[in-house]
Amino acid sequence: MFEFEIEARSGPARAGKLTLPHGTVDTPVFMPVGTQGTVRALSPNDLRSAGATLVLANTYHLHVRPGEQVVERLGGLHRFMAWDRPLLTDSGGFQVFSLEGFRRVDEDGVEFQSHVDGSRRTLTPERATEIQWILGADIAMAFDHVVPGGADEATARDALERTLKWLERCARRHRELADGRTGGRADGTAVTDRQSAGPAVRQTLWPILQGGTHLQLRTEGLRRILELGSWTGLAVGGLSVGEPKALMYDILERLEPKLPALPRYLMGVGFPQDLVAAVERGVDLFDCVAPTRNGRNGSAFTPDGPVNIRNAEHREDPRPLDATCDCETCTTFSRGYLRHLFVAEELLGLRLLSLHNVRYLIRLAAEMRAAIRRSALGPWAAEWRRRYLHARSA
Amino acid sequence: MFEFEIEARSGPARAGKLTLPHGTVDTPVFMPVGTQGTVRALSPNDLRSAGATLVLANTYHLHVRPGEQVVERLGGLHRFMAWDRPLLTDSGGFQVFSLEGFRRVDEDGVEFQSHVDGSRRTLTPERATEIQWILGADIAMAFDHVVPGGADEATARDALERTLKWLERCARRHRELADGRTGGRADGTAVTDRQSAGPAVRQTLWPILQGGTHLQLRTEGLRRILELGSWTGLAVGGLSVGEPKALMYDILERLEPKLPALPRYLMGVGFPQDLVAAVERGVDLFDCVAPTRNGRNGSAFTPDGPVNIRNAEHREDPRPLDATCDCETCTTFSRGYLRHLFVAEELLGLRLLSLHNVRYLIRLAAEMRAAIRRSALGPWAAEWRRRYLHARSA
């Protein structure tokens, strides 16, 4: 369980297979984001038809509403959202540090205000780990301190140190839960240990590397994470949060030779060109709300660059959104009809463009996987960029 | 083509089979409403999975946006909305007489203001017929003058007379179009006669009986409609528009013995109890936005009466919305999850409840059909009411 087999390489890029309790995941892979236990506008059947193998859900959102106890009583996160394939939950760190209502951070954890009812709440490494254990995703993430993209070195150093200390506490609590030594919760109530009734280990915990845009902090953070334990995967957080793209690519490129053979998850990325650039730099997993958020705004990914379906040029266009795509949207409807749905503010439009965009990123990852397996990622990427970026500037 | 075979009777109720260019329709049947060329929140696959055989689209809405020429250039209404089973279009009469904005009616037609851009437009019997011919549904409806539920006899008489005169003009124009004698449009432009290239008759035209709540007007109107031509179906309009339900049932009951063997379509109905009452009074076809509109508001039809999924009682309820239902919503998700989707304002909730409600009404019609075929509609309806209405008042 939680094994990662690298099946092929093309430069730093890898094609791999990640084995998880709810199934195997071919990498590189794009994870659709199910913030509140649902990928916006899409059903589990839609996700399966789009080829999704791994879905992300947000710990912060599910903790605030409906609450992890409700999810637990409804059978755990898989049953709750009717997704029987692998799930990953983030730790809530990114959300509480991005929130408007963020209040106070100290060594113990973060106090924040719920965006739903304004109530004061606290997340600590232990609580974030317990909540994720109760939710029961295949992969849980360590609770981290995220700083803005432009943070100076002292600020980034401070957050890195805290993240490393919190990682130890997350890992300790996760081991206790996995071993059935649940004890009490950090808040004094009992943890219902539904998960440990089955096979010994139902969930793995991945650390998150922080360090802002400071390569030296990233390198040091990586070394210290690897000293702290034997992990089954590793996330790179705190990128794609406002810093220049070239800087993100540069950090990934310089980190890559120092990374172990573990699966590497670049959090919050991304757009098609970012996926391609990051896979070329050795990244295996991605998540981003872009395909669904952009889809709801009428913006679709295509091999020739983004298309805004609201544009008048599509009014009488009988062609599919993306002639190369096999999704329900592209095999069933014309651009003219899709435009009509958006202009007429029909709900079906939101779904159809979200579905296409998710399918687009999943296919993009699968195409890169195939290119890696034939040791031809470089030429594939050059051709892909020629078409995608040329069209954009046209 | 356009044949209607009555296969069984149970009192005035009939189980029939209606043959249309795009397929056959078992009656009694409920038609989901695709106002703007899409049944709100549902895809064609959803509709197929719900067992829909016949879908209604609104001529007024499609004329205003995107315009029938756009639909025509995108392959006609079936291709436009990717629905390959039978379609029915209303005539626009109901909409223009229900519009908030400016409206002027004279013998020629109705001048009204588009709800989209405020532009002044005119619908005449000829235009309404041409627009529907261009859209290309299996069944087109005659352009009618609809009055409010409480209209006095003089008002209702005036509208009935106008509707009868307009029916003659609709029928004449429809015959010309079907015969390929398209001539010019009423507005002077040419009609692209895409439809007449195929089999001789692609579309049939049904008259609408008006007369408000005045039985004598209804009876006279029916007689004069039947004198005007040989029809393939007949609609009863102007009911369920604000008058007491008992009055609607009474009119249906008294009209029924005078109705020919044609399929009978009660427009804009309805709610489950109305469907049952109307089938008992010999009605075969129904349409209503209730299943989708109520679904979007979190209200679901169940055999035990309506359920508001937002209610706190569903918070941790692992049971399906309707344990007797075979739809995707009921076979996949818990009430607790559906409530979460509504409380969290997730788009998937709108779809799932709409899907269930449409499936509910389609199954209700199918159950009545089965009861009619075993000559047992009375006992079936008594049992159905016992459960549905008892639960509501409980």
Side-chain angles (χ1 to χ4, degrees):
Chain A
M1 204 54 72
F2 308 117
E3 274 166 27
F4 181 63
E5 183 195 348
I6 295 175
E7 300 174 322
R9 295 177 189 269
S10 178
R14 307 104 60 83
K17 191 178 288 289
L18 175 61
T19 304
L20 296 169
H22 286 82
T24 61
V25 175
D26 287 339
T27 65
V29 67
F30 175 78
M31 289 183 265
V33 178
T35 304
Q36 304 191 100
T38 165
V39 177
R40 211 148 278 168
L42 300 182
S43 71
N45 278 341
D46 292 336
L47 293 170
R48 270 185 287 269
S49 80
T53 51
L54 179 56
V55 168
L56 178 145
N58 286 107
T59 294
Y60 163 79
H61 285 93
L62 291 168
H63 167 64
V64 166
R65 187 173 58 194
E68 64 276 12
Q69 287 84 2
V70 172
V71 175
E72 182 178 35
R73 282 176 206 138
L74 290 169
L77 186 56
H78 280 92
R79 175 67 199 97
F80 180 66
M81 58 191 286
W83 181 249
D84 58 4
R85 295 183 180 178
L87 281 172
L88 179 149
T89 41
D90 68 358
S91 62
F94 180 78
Q95 263 79 24
V96 294
F97 285 102
S98 320
L99 271 182
E100 291 286 330
F102 165 70
R103 281 292 174 273
R104 194 173 56 79
V105 57
D106 62 20
E107 289 313 301
D108 188 47
V110 185
E111 194 184 48
F112 62 96
Q113 222 169 350
S114 157
H115 75 287
V116 170
D117 61 8
S119 61
R120 292 267 166 116
R121 295 172 181 239
T122 303
L123 269 184
T124 63
E126 288 79 10
R127 281 292 289 135
T129 306
E130 288 160 7
I131 293 167
Q132 291 183 82
W133 183 261
I134 289 167
L135 292 174
D138 300 67
I139 302 172
M141 302 303 301
F143 190 63
D144 57 338
H145 186 167
V146 184
V147 293
D152 63 35
E153 188 163 347
T155 307
R157 156 71 69 183
D158 179 61
L160 171 64
E161 293 293 344
R162 190 167 295 104
T163 298
L164 290 167
K165 281 180 207 148
W166 286 357
L167 174 58
E168 287 193 71
R169 289 164 58 189
C170 289
R172 190 179 314 121
R173 190 74 187 115
H174 197 261
R175 269 194 308 276
E176 289 170 1
L177 291 164
D179 294 349
R181 292 178 286 117
T182 53
R185 281 185 180 131
D187 65 4
T189 64
V191 174
T192 306
D193 197 20
R194 194 181 52 76
Q195 301 294 339
S196 66
V201 182
R202 291 270 191 101
Q203 183 180 74
T204 191
L205 176 79
W206 285 6
I208 302 176
L209 174 61
Q210 292 292 348
T213 52
H214 308 279
L215 183 67
Q216 191 195 318
L217 290 182
R218 293 277 177 180
T219 309
E220 180 188 334
L222 174 61
R223 181 179 51 74
R224 288 169 62 186
I225 285 173
L226 298 177
E227 286 168 5
L228 279 178
S230 168
W231 310 102
T232 61
L234 174 77
V236 179
L239 289 179
S240 199
V241 290
E243 80 286 357
K245 293 234 166 166
L247 198 50
M248 173 171 87
Y249 298 162
D250 187 56
I251 289 174
L252 289 175
E253 209 163 295
R254 289 159 181 263
L255 272 180
E256 198 281 328
K258 302 180 174 66
L259 290 171
L262 300 175
R264 304 153 182 176
Y265 163 29
L266 180 58
M267 305 183 84
V269 172
F271 283 83
Q273 60 271 44
D274 297 335
L275 242 70
V276 174
V279 166
E280 289 181 302
R281 289 159 180 82
V283 175
D284 307 297
L285 296 96
F286 303 88
D287 79 280
C288 191
V289 296
T292 43
R293 178 177 293 167
N294 291 12
R296 294 196 305 281
N297 288 330
S299 177
F301 301 136
T302 83
D304 298 306
V307 162
N308 188 333
I309 200 63
R310 294 174 182 273
N311 286 350
E313 63 182 303
H314 306 301
R315 188 176 151 90
E316 298 181 1
D317 192 338
R319 294 175 306 158
L321 191 52
D322 173 357
T324 73
C325 183
D326 59 0
C327 80
E328 182 188 348
T329 306
C330 294
T331 56
T332 312
F333 303 100
S334 63
R335 290 186 175 203
Y337 182 70
L338 296 172
R339 176 179 189 269
H340 168 65
L341 293 179
F342 272 86
V343 170
E345 299 182 349
E346 282 286 352
L347 290 167
L348 183 60
L350 311 181
R351 183 210 310 195
L352 293 177
L353 258 68
S354 298
L355 177 66
H356 166 72
N357 281 348
V358 166
R359 178 66 185 143
Y360 177 88
L361 287 184
I362 287 172
R363 283 177 70 228
L364 183 65
E367 277 186 39
M368 287 193 278
R369 178 178 162 81
I372 293 165
R373 290 175 68 96
R374 55 177 195 269
S375 300
L377 185 65
W380 177 92
E383 172 59 21
W384 182 87
R385 280 195 190 89
R386 193 196 55 73
R387 187 167 171 187
Y388 190 87
L389 299 176
H390 174 271
R392 286 192 81 189
S393 59
Chain B
M1 203 53 75
F2 308 117
E3 275 166 27
F4 182 63
E5 183 195 349
I6 295 175
E7 300 174 321
R9 293 177 191 268
S10 179
R14 308 102 59 85
K17 192 177 286 291
L18 175 62
T19 304
L20 296 168
H22 287 83
T24 61
V25 175
D26 287 338
T27 64
V29 67
F30 176 79
M31 289 183 265
V33 177
T35 303
Q36 303 192 103
T38 164
V39 177
R40 212 148 277 166
L42 300 182
S43 71
N45 278 339
D46 292 336
L47 292 170
R48 271 185 286 270
S49 80
T53 51
L54 179 55
V55 168
L56 179 146
N58 287 107
T59 295
Y60 164 79
H61 285 94
L62 291 168
H63 167 64
V64 166
R65 185 172 58 194
E68 64 275 11
Q69 287 84 2
V70 171
V71 175
E72 181 178 34
R73 283 176 204 135
L74 290 168
L77 186 55
H78 279 91
R79 174 68 200 96
F80 181 64
M81 59 191 286
W83 180 249
D84 58 4
R85 296 183 180 179
L87 280 172
L88 179 150
T89 41
D90 69 358
S91 62
F94 181 78
Q95 262 80 26
V96 295
F97 284 101
S98 319
L99 274 179
E100 289 287 328
F102 163 83
R103 174 176 68 241
R104 195 176 55 79
V105 55
D106 62 18
E107 288 313 302
D108 188 47
V110 184
E111 195 185 26
F112 62 96
Q113 220 168 356
S114 156
H115 75 286
V116 170
D117 60 7
S119 61
R120 295 260 168 124
R121 295 174 181 235
T122 302
L123 269 185
T124 63
E126 288 79 11
R127 282 292 289 133
T129 306
E130 288 159 6
I131 294 167
Q132 291 183 82
W133 183 260
I134 289 168
L135 293 173
D138 301 66
I139 302 171
M141 301 304 301
F143 190 61
D144 57 340
H145 185 168
V146 184
V147 293
D152 62 35
E153 188 163 345
T155 308
R157 156 72 68 184
D158 179 62
L160 172 65
E161 293 293 343
R162 189 167 297 105
T163 298
L164 289 167
K165 282 180 207 147
W166 286 358
L167 174 59
E168 287 193 71
R169 289 163 58 189
C170 288
R172 189 180 314 122
R173 189 73 187 118
H174 197 262
R175 268 193 308 275
E176 289 170 1
L177 291 163
D179 292 349
R181 290 178 289 119
T182 54
R185 279 185 180 130
D187 66 3
T189 65
V191 174
T192 307
D193 197 18
R194 193 181 53 77
Q195 301 294 341
S196 68
V201 183
R202 290 272 191 99
Q203 183 180 75
T204 192
L205 176 78
W206 285 4
I208 302 175
L209 174 61
Q210 292 292 346
T213 52
H214 308 279
L215 184 67
Q216 191 194 319
L217 291 181
R218 292 277 177 181
T219 309
E220 180 188 334
L222 174 60
R223 181 178 51 76
R224 290 168 62 185
I225 285 173
L226 298 179
E227 285 167 7
L228 279 176
S230 167
W231 310 103
T232 61
L234 174 77
V236 178
L239 289 180
S240 199
V241 289
E243 80 286 357
K245 292 235 166 162
L247 198 48
M248 174 171 89
Y249 297 161
D250 186 56
I251 289 174
L252 289 175
E253 210 163 295
R254 288 159 180 261
L255 271 180
E256 198 281 328
K258 303 179 174 65
L259 290 170
L262 300 175
R264 302 155 183 175
Y265 163 27
L266 180 58
M267 305 184 84
V269 172
F271 283 82
Q273 61 271 44
D274 296 337
L275 244 70
V276 174
V279 166
E280 290 182 301
R281 289 160 179 80
V283 175
D284 307 298
L285 295 96
F286 304 88
D287 78 281
C288 192
V289 296
T292 43
R293 178 177 293 165
N294 291 13
R296 295 196 307 280
N297 289 329
S299 178
F301 300 136
T302 82
D304 298 307
V307 162
N308 187 333
I309 200 64
R310 293 173 184 274
N311 287 349
E313 62 181 306
H314 306 302
R315 190 176 148 91
E316 298 181 0
D317 193 338
R319 294 175 306 157
L321 191 51
D322 173 357
T324 72
C325 183
D326 58 359
C327 80
E328 182 186 349
T329 306
C330 293
T331 56
T332 311
F333 302 101
S334 63
R335 289 185 176 203
Y337 182 71
L338 296 172
R339 176 178 189 269
H340 168 67
L341 293 180
F342 272 87
V343 171
E345 299 183 346
E346 281 286 352
L347 290 166
L348 183 59
L350 311 181
R351 184 212 307 196
L352 293 178
L353 258 68
S354 299
L355 178 66
H356 166 73
N357 281 348
V358 166
R359 178 64 185 145
Y360 176 87
L361 288 184
I362 287 171
R363 282 178 70 229
L364 183 64
E367 278 186 38
M368 288 193 277
R369 178 179 162 81
I372 294 165
R373 290 175 69 97
R374 54 177 197 270
S375 299
L377 185 64
W380 177 91
E383 172 59 22
W384 182 86
R385 282 196 189 90
R386 193 195 57 73
R387 186 167 172 188
Y388 190 86
L389 299 177
H390 174 270
R392 285 191 83 190
S393 57

